[in-house]
Amino acid sequence: MKGIPLLILISDENGCILEMAGDEAIKSVVQQSGIQIGLVFNEQEAGTNSINLVLDHRQPIQLVGDEHYYEFLWSSACYSVPFQYTDISNLLGTITIMTTIDQHNPFLLAMLSTVVDSIERELLLKKQNRRLHILNQVVIETTRNGIIITDRDGNITEFNKFAEILTGSKKQDVTNKPIPDAKTNEFIKEVLQTGKEYENMEFMLHPRTGQDELVCLFDAFPIRDENMQVMGAFAQFRDITERYHTQKQINYLAYHDDLTGLPNRRFFTRHIDELLKHGVNENSIFAVMFLDLDSFKKINDTLGHNNGDVLLKLVAERLKTCCHAPNQLVSRMGGDEFTILLQEITDHTEAIHVAEEIIKAFEKPFAVDGYEFYITASIGVVFYPQDGTNVEVLMKNADIALYRMKDDGKNNYNIFKPVPNSSGIERLTLEHSIRKALDLDEFVVYYQPQIDILTGNIIGTEALVRWNHPTLGLVPPTKFIPIAEETGLIVPLGEWVLKTACLQNQIWKDKGFPPMSVSVNLSSRQFSRYNLVDTIKEILLETHIDPQYLELEITESMTMNVDVAIEVLGKLKELGIQICIDDFGTGYSNLYYLKLFSIDRLKIDQSFVRNIMTDSNDADIVATIIAMAHKLGIDVIAEGVETKDQLDFLRSQSCHEVQGFYYYPPLPAEQIERLLNKTATIKTNLQG
């Protein structure tokens, strides 16, 4: 604008002149007319003028010559522009250019508007920077992270109070100096030199001598200017000490036994998996031992579970004493079962020596609660790779070897030998697994509906146990029930089924379904136990089931000892329980005793029902059983009904209660409930 006489006036939002600068000739003329710093322009006194117009309309205004109110300004041209905080439209004042009329040029107004726009953006930027600085200080000082900011040379410019706590250094001692920690400083140098970023680097910090170490996650990244050039570095330490130790404890508990402190099953199997993946070569061998205490249940029953736990701790300590070498690992599988891994052995004799040492160690008595007593252990031993190349096979074969030792007299070790008869191995596996299955909730109860064929209604269910084995899948009852019978495990299994079925039946009643009976099979071992009646009394009290809705199914063979049968069945009848003879017609039958035993119902065995349409003898037997039951006033139900022809035959013989696949197979409890809901809905719709 050189050569053009200009006068610049700046006013505030009220029109008060704050500043005048520019051409002295114009300034002198203006001042002679009374316009000077401190003068407040208002329309009443100054007439129409560009400053007032701008303040009123908030837009650029030009007045040229006689557009002014006063004649002394007719020889001038005035250009005024408002300026403000653009983020909140807060008017701050005006800027005006005055020149002579012969220098009038609309470009001056455009130029002034551009300049003011730059001023406004500068004002806004300063305002935002001021706010950002305040915000940054608040964030930096209140965050729970240790914040360190450096300049381009790596010297500290910001160092918050949590950085002081975590590092043990004071802000005044480190400001404008490199980071004192050598490791951190190396990372910052890398960030500044290459622009590299670091995230979640785990650091161990020692704030002061004698203090516990702190565990932190470290982040570092470059700070760049508007040209993307590195102008500094930002680093932070996030204190995760508490989380670190909590996670460490959780990991410890996940892989260690809470009672003994030994590694648990998860740790043991995972360790072998890792060993097989990374730690063994073609020529190396290792041994796995499975140890089980002999007759530990008697200890629990005699001394109580608390003292049983004390014994398990003592056993763990004794095993650790026997197997203390670096290549030996003792773990607790659960209950009274322990495993031992012997790594890097040269031949089988090393494992045999350890097994003999353990058996010998158990010759010394254990002291619990002031008593000294002896307990023995049985051990099964397998070797990699001859007895298995994965952890599942090794553990299974060690288990088999262990229970062969149990069968051979206990209190010794047994080295696994393959048996050509795979069914024998499976039987041993099942026998041992049954012992664990109840504790591990592997058994489930299915329910087969019993139907009144005259109405189609479900009048009851039969509870049937199923075994969902973790590795063998769904094991048929024909495989595990005989083994459970032989070993006596059928007693706790039968009690569990009885309790579960009673509880489920009561749940259905509490949900509003029509009352119905549930039938539960009693095994011969259960029936012969002296405390059978007391056990059933406890279950009735615990589950709150009405005794009339519980039916116990017994076989004819259980009644061979007539005097015992009369006494037991009489006591059960006194409880209000219903009694059913299961598989009637296949065993010892005496019509006189049926009446004597106060039997409520006979169940026709499915072996007869299956062939009633093809075998006249079976048809005659079924017809005779039904007729006989009616004569004796005993209800009758047929099982194994699979076809409509079978159903029609039974209906013709006045057998009105059936169960079988023609209607429903055994179903889980939740499916039975859906079935009951569906039946209830249909009834409601029909009644409606």
Side-chain angles (χ1 to χ4, degrees), residues 8 157 196 267 375 504 593 625 643:
I8 298 174
T157 58
K196 186 175 181 179
F267 183 99
I375 189 169
Q504 183 59 64
Y593 289 133
I625 292 173
T643 68

Side-chain angles (χ1 to χ4, degrees), residues 604-659:
I604 303 172
D605 186 69
Q606 59 183 337
S607 62
F608 297 123
V609 175
R610 184 182 305 116
N611 299 317
I612 55 176
M613 305 310 299
T614 58
D615 189 322
S616 59
N617 289 330
D618 283 350
D620 290 341
I621 290 172
V622 170
T624 301
I625 292 173
I626 295 170
M628 176 198 67
H630 289 333
K631 288 289 185 182
L632 293 173
I634 298 173
D635 292 333
V636 63
I637 183 171
E639 67 176 351
V641 178
E642 297 181 354
T643 68
K644 187 175 185 303
D645 289 339
Q646 293 169 348
L647 184 68
D648 290 341
F649 176 85
L650 293 167
R651 183 186 285 113
S652 70
Q653 299 299 316
S654 299
C655 175
H656 299 142
E657 296 178 8
V658 300
Q659 68 183 80

Side-chain angles (χ1 to χ4, degrees), residues 7 9 26 29-31 33-35 41 45-51 63-78 98-101:
L7 180 67
L9 294 87
I26 299 177
V29 171
V30 168
Q31 286 178 335
S33 65
I35 299 174
F41 270 87
E45 297 179 1
T48 303
N49 62 83
S50 60
I51 293 176
L63 293 179
V64 180
D66 58 6
E67 291 175 351
H68 290 94
Y69 180 78
Y70 285 106
E71 289 184 15
F72 75 89
L73 292 175
W74 286 1
S75 61
S76 64
C78 295
M98 294 181 68
T99 188
T100 58
I101 192 169

Side-chain angles (χ1 to χ4, degrees), residues 432-446 465-471 473-474 480 492-493 495-497 499-500 503:
H432 178 48
S433 297
I434 292 171
R435 299 175 188 271
K436 303 177 183 177
L438 274 170
D439 293 333
L440 300 176
D441 293 326
E442 293 174 6
F443 289 110
V444 292
V445 176
Y446 278 39
V465 67
R466 297 289 185 265
W467 185 9
N468 191 13
H469 193 280
T471 56
L474 205 62
F480 70 83
L493 177 58
E495 290 177 4
W496 178 83
V497 173
K499 183 185 296 185
T500 302
L503 185 61

Side-chain angles (χ1 to χ4, degrees), residues 119-335:
I119 294 171
E120 287 178 338
R121 281 189 280 113
E122 183 69 20
L123 288 172
L124 180 60
L125 184 60
K126 287 182 178 180
K127 183 179 178 183
Q128 289 175 336
N129 284 343
R130 188 162 58 250
R131 289 175 179 171
L132 186 60
H133 178 72
I134 294 170
L135 181 61
N136 284 342
Q137 291 304 309
V138 171
V139 171
I140 288 173
E141 290 304 325
T142 59
T143 180
R144 298 290 297 180
N145 299 336
I147 303 294
I148 303 173
I149 298 176
T150 76
D151 60 17
R152 181 66 185 84
D153 298 321
N155 295 319
I156 294 172
T157 58
E158 290 288 348
F159 197 84
N160 73 350
K161 62 181 179 181
F162 282 101
E164 292 183 334
I165 293 170
L166 295 176
T167 64
S169 300
K170 293 297 182 182
K171 182 175 182 177
Q172 61 267 26
D173 298 332
V174 298
T175 301
N176 298 320
K177 296 177 183 177
I179 296 173
D181 180 69
K183 185 177 180 182
T184 308
N185 202 32
E186 286 301 313
F187 281 109
I188 294 299
K189 283 182 180 179
E190 184 75 15
V191 169
L192 293 170
Q193 291 171 7
T194 67
K196 186 175 181 179
E197 297 184 1
Y198 293 96
E199 283 189 272
N200 299 326
M201 306 285 291
E202 192 170 290
F203 269 36
M204 297 290 183
L205 299 178
H206 297 272
R208 290 183 181 86
T209 305
Q211 284 190 339
D212 294 336
E213 67 179 9
L214 299 175
V215 185
C216 296
L217 292 180
F218 174 76
D219 306 319
F221 53 84
I223 302 172
R224 300 180 185 273
D225 61 19
E226 65 274 10
N227 297 316
M228 297 305 294
Q229 297 300 308
V230 175
M231 56 181 288
F234 173 92
Q236 68 172 345
F237 291 98
R238 289 175 281 140
D239 185 2
I240 60 164
T241 306
E242 185 175 347
R243 187 177 81 188
Y244 175 84
H245 289 300
T246 300
Q247 189 62 48
K248 195 173 179 181
Q249 179 66 12
I250 290 171
N251 289 338
Y252 179 85
L253 293 174
Y255 289 99
H256 288 79
D257 174 51
D258 189 42
L259 177 66
T260 63
L262 292 175
N264 60 13
R265 177 189 293 271
R266 185 183 290 109
F267 183 99
F268 189 80
T269 55
R270 184 174 178 178
H271 184 75
I272 294 180
D273 275 333
E274 291 297 319
L275 183 64
L276 293 172
K277 288 178 185 176
H278 310 294
V280 293
N281 55 49
E282 295 179 357
N283 300 319
S284 61
I285 62 173
F286 62 81
V288 174
M289 297 183 180
F290 214 136
L291 179 147
D292 183 88
L293 300 180
D294 300 326
S295 305
F296 179 70
K297 187 176 184 301
K298 292 179 182 178
I299 302 296
N300 269 341
D301 293 343
T302 304
L303 299 179
H305 287 276
N306 288 338
N307 285 324
D309 288 346
V310 173
L311 173 61
L312 291 173
K313 291 180 183 178
L314 295 174
V315 168
E317 291 301 319
R318 200 165 289 189
L319 290 176
K320 285 194 291 184
T321 301
C322 294
C323 307
H324 60 275
N327 67 331
Q328 299 174 346
L329 173 67
V330 180
S331 301
R332 183 186 177 208
M333 294 291 101

Side-chain angles (χ1 to χ4, degrees), residues 341-389:
L341 173 65
L342 307 178
Q343 295 177 223
E344 303 170 0
I345 60 175
T346 55
D347 55 44
H348 294 185
T349 57
E350 290 185 44
I352 292 171
H353 175 71
V354 172
E356 289 173 345
E357 286 294 314
I358 293 171
I359 296 299
K360 186 177 180 181
F362 277 79
E363 293 176 0
K364 298 177 183 178
F366 290 89
V368 177
D369 196 24
Y371 297 95
E372 280 195 349
F373 59 90
Y374 293 86
I375 189 169
T376 59
S378 298
I379 303 173
V381 186
V382 294
F383 295 95
Y384 169 87
Q386 70 181 52
D387 298 326
T389 55

